[in-house]
Amino acid sequence: MTASIAHTRKPRADGPAPRRRTLKGLWSRLAKADKVGLAFVLPSMVAVVGLLIYPVLSSVYYSLTDQSLLRRDHELVWLDNFQTLITNADFWSAFVTSIRWTAGSIVGQLLLGLLLALCLDKVRRFSGLYRVLLIVPWAFPPIVIGFGWQWILDDVYGFLPNLLTSLGITAENVSPLANPDTVFWTVLAINIWFGAPLFMVNILAALKTIPREQYEAALMDGANAWQQFSFITLRHIRNVIGLLVILRIIWVFNNFELLFLLTGGGPGDMTTTLPIFAYRTGWGLHQLGMASAITVLLLVFLLLMARIAFAALNYWEREDS
Amino acid sequence: MSRTGYRSGRLPSRREFAALTASTVALSAAACRADTGRSGAPDGVLAGDLLVWTSFTQGPRAEWMEHMAQKFEEAHPDVRVTIETFSWPDFYTKWTMGLAAGQVPDISSALPTHVAELLSVEALAPVDDVIDEIGRDRFAEAALAEGQVDGASYSVPLYTHAQVMWYRTDLLEEAGLEVPTTWAELRHAAEVLTTDDVYGLSVPLGSSDMMATRFLNYYVQSAGERLLNDDGSANLTSPAVLDGIAYWVDMYRNTSPEGSINYDVLQQATLYYQGRTAFDFNSGFQIGGVQQTSPDLLEYVAAAPLPRLTAADDLYGGETSNTPMVVWEASSMQEEAKAFLLSLYETEEYIEFLHSVPGGMLPALADISDEPAYVDDPILDQFADTVEVIDEAVPRGSAIGMEDGPTVQASIMTGQGIIEGLFQDIVLNGTPIADAARDAEEQLNSLFEMAGVEFGQ
């Protein structure tokens, strides 16, 4: 216990400056470390290197080559793949679609999740049942969601188009996943429906930790509902929201299976995001080098996004403390 | 506590540490690699682990393959056969990835277009000895030609089928229509039969499959042309091809569900299985699909030859699929692989295999068609006329783009969704047909060149 207190105590102003964590420093720390401990850690390190670092490094390496899936040999082309990509209209189209898909999904999931959490927070009876019902979409595997919605929305045997027609709402069966005007908004709505429960559950958990006294005090001070929400509720849950947003940005931006199952990136390239574009390049055109370059650019972009988001989180934490 | 490993407590240098870590990783990787003992024994004694990849995902065919593996193991106790099954799209991904990683099976099924691509990278072993053992004259020449390079055969046809036009006898009868023989008649019949409940003909344009390429190829073949020029370049801009594109765009707009712009082969076939389309194009697999999905419709299902430009035109092939088995060059078990391959053609078992999808898989061996045991099947009996139509179409056709034998272009043309993209561009963006066709042709030709094709060679 004392150790942890000592550990979290800030260094005195006149104390030694904290050492910079350089690679050289790491080596000297390793040199002084307990070798038995290192031996125990080594298998895990090997697993991490093998399962995480190696694939990333191999992706980076292949992005610098002309590796094809149909050949075992390859040549280094250095930055040619990246040069080809940044002048390729299809790449930028996929990038823009990815941004729209991610931004739309996150905003929608956050707003719907927040709304549901606020409602559930007020519910006293059957709240457990509502929570279970609302989290159901999140429990489904993407393959079930993909095929399920495809069958629901199919214009021939789909339940929804036939229902709309039979109710006289539409003159003939609509095809939301094939119509260029509706396809993007349809897949976006499905992803919002799918991801909102994650926001809801986590925000609800954060809401339960807010001391009720703060609301009572605010009421006595004459704060209205909006002020209570923005100065108390939002301040308490914003770190949770921030962390969720970071995680979801990474997941949604990288999401492949849901879109691929729903539309395959079509019709045309209307729902082709970067992961689908990379898949088509790698498995369709066999250009593994080019596909690796796409994934490397994806990684760089997401690291940048995560850096910005973490900076915002750190700022909030400093503000709170 | 004494230290061990490094004298007098000296720590490894950075270089030594790096080397040590690298060795650990390498040793771990080596330890993780399964000891398969996959070396085939010489001198005719069959032994080792035989890895078989098949695309037979449906129950009866998959069960047959397992049964054949078991039977082979009983006959050769030192051989263990492992069957791995993948759907066709997964299969393609699997072998392209396996080829890059050097991890391929000993023997597998393949599509003719896969064979062409595999031949271009010298991934297959010659199988003339197997063909001669079975009896070369029992195979159709055209089927063998799809796996031949410089006179050597690299694939053994396992079964065959051809694309034909499927229709619903009851719907035609109700509307007082004859079975269409020309494209114009088909258009008229499909338009007449399009109602609130039934679509005349679904036109599948999904980019995850090759259906639009297939439909366009029918039309182009009926005009006596091909999707490849004689010099090996793509042909998407000749008047016949442009007519074909216009025809299918028009059919999509007038007789097809809007959603078919995303359809793949299964979604397309499902509509016919469910009785939601009056016409469709497919092989004899259609019979089994209808039988399983809508058994009450089975008596109204029939097939006719592919439509022609004029009724006076000769019948043509359109598209024939001779699905073969191949032995992989990288296999160290080629002797065992060939022995297993040979075992698949034993008459009794082979007929059992064909009967697992009656009418869908026609014999690759000509004499089997006349075998009483083969003919003795209720479905083949019920659909004798339809099977005859398919049977007659088989020798007239080939895989798309492989009219003159295996070409890499065939695989690219049917595997990249370029022609499907062409149609989607016209339908969704209103791009003029000639412009979309020219762009797609350029795209295909550049892919051909990337794959090492030299036009005119």
Side-chain angles (χ1 to χ4, degrees), chain B residues 267-329:
Chain B
Q267 289 167 299
Q268 168 76 8
T270 301
L271 288 191
Y272 188 79
Y273 299 164
Q274 293 183 334
R276 303 301 302 267
T277 44
F279 293 98
D280 195 12
F281 292 96
N282 209 321
S283 66
F285 277 79
Q286 209 81 331
I287 298 168
V290 174
Q291 190 182 18
Q292 282 180 347
T293 311
S294 316
D296 52 327
L297 292 180
L298 197 61
E299 60 182 301
Y300 306 118
V301 165
L306 296 171
R308 288 151 282 162
L309 283 177
T310 69
D313 290 347
D314 290 337
L315 293 174
Y316 60 99
E319 186 189 341
T320 295
S321 297
N322 299 295
T323 304
M325 297 293 290
V326 294
V327 174
W328 290 69
E329 179 64 26

Side-chain angles (χ1 to χ4, degrees), chain A residues 35 155 177 268 284 286-287, chain B residues 11 92 117 262 416 424 450:
Chain A
K35 299 299 170 297
D155 55 335
L177 290 175
H286 308 315
Q287 296 171 6
Chain B
L11 283 161
Y92 188 70
E117 208 164 345
N262 282 333
Q416 308 299 341
Q424 294 191 348
M450 270 172 56

Side-chain angles (χ1 to χ4, degrees), chain A residues 27 31 35 46 69-70 72 150 154-157 175 177-180 263 266-268 280 283-287, chain B residues 11 14 17 92-93 95-97 99-100 102 117 121 199 257-259 261-263 271 274 276 416 424 428 450:
Chain A
W27 186 256
K35 299 299 170 297
V46 169
L69 275 176
L70 299 178
R72 294 203 66 184
Q150 211 175 46
D154 188 274
D155 55 335
V156 179
Y157 36 75
S175 183
L177 290 175
N179 187 314
T263 62
R280 283 181 182 171
W283 300 117
L285 305 176
H286 308 315
Q287 296 171 6
Chain B
L11 283 161
R14 248 170 284 187
F17 186 81
Y92 188 70
T93 303
W95 76 249
T96 47
M97 197 174 174
L99 208 59
E117 208 164 345
V121 291
Y199 289 92
E258 189 185 12
I261 197 158
N262 282 333
Y263 277 11
L271 288 191
Q274 293 183 334
R276 303 301 302 267
Q416 308 299 341
Q424 294 191 348
L428 297 169
M450 270 172 56

Side-chain angles (χ1 to χ4, degrees), chain B residues 134-135 137-139 347 363-372 374:
Chain B
I134 297 167
D137 56 346
R138 298 174 73 192
F139 293 97
T347 304
L365 304 172
D367 52 297
I368 295 289
S369 300
D370 303 323
E371 283 278 340
Y374 170 69

Side-chain angles (χ1 to χ4, degrees), chain B residues 20 31 77 168 294 296 317 325 349 412-413 438 441-443:
Chain B
L20 189 71
R168 285 270 304 278
S294 316
D296 52 327
M325 297 293 290
E349 279 77 14
I412 293 169
M413 201 158 51
R438 192 188 55 248
E441 186 176 275
E442 284 171 8
Q443 218 176 337

Side-chain angles (χ1 to χ4, degrees), chain B residues 133-312:
Chain B
E133 183 87 22
I134 297 167
R136 186 171 291 271
D137 56 346
R138 298 174 73 192
F139 293 97
E141 256 180 66
L144 288 178
E146 290 183 347
Q148 285 176 336
V149 172
D150 298 331
S153 295
Y154 293 85
S155 66
V156 189
L158 185 63
Y159 66 89
T160 185
H161 58 73
Q163 296 288 309
V164 288
M165 183 184 74
W166 293 85
Y167 59 93
R168 285 270 304 278
T169 54
D170 55 334
L171 296 178
L172 284 176
E173 202 176 322
E174 278 170 32
L177 294 165
E178 293 293 317
V179 178
T181 57
T182 66
W183 293 112
E185 287 172 7
L186 173 64
R187 184 204 308 256
H188 171 69
E191 284 172 355
V192 168
L193 295 178
T194 299
T195 62
D196 287 343
D197 298 321
V198 175
Y199 289 92
L201 170 65
S202 170
V203 181
L205 305 175
S207 55
S208 60
D209 213 328
M210 52 166 276
M211 297 299 283
T213 307
R214 172 174 282 173
F215 276 42
L216 180 61
N217 182 59
Y218 301 147
Y219 193 99
V220 172
Q221 295 258 345
S222 73
E225 289 196 24
R226 298 180 302 170
L227 290 172
L228 282 182
N229 292 311
D230 290 341
D231 67 354
S233 61
N235 170 29
L236 294 179
T237 49
S238 75
V241 179
L242 294 177
D243 281 352
I245 295 169
Y247 180 86
W248 288 120
V249 168
D250 186 51
M251 291 292 275
Y252 169 78
R253 287 178 174 146
N254 295 314
T255 70
S256 179
E258 189 185 12
S260 68
I261 197 158
N262 282 333
Y263 277 11
D264 59 18
V265 64
L266 188 60
Q267 289 167 299
Q268 168 76 8
T270 301
L271 288 191
Y272 188 79
Y273 299 164
Q274 293 183 334
R276 303 301 302 267
T277 44
F279 293 98
D280 195 12
F281 292 96
N282 209 321
S283 66
F285 277 79
Q286 209 81 331
I287 298 168
V290 174
Q291 190 182 18
Q292 282 180 347
T293 311
S294 316
D296 52 327
L297 292 180
L298 197 61
E299 60 182 301
Y300 306 118
V301 165
L306 296 171
R308 288 151 282 162
L309 283 177
T310 69

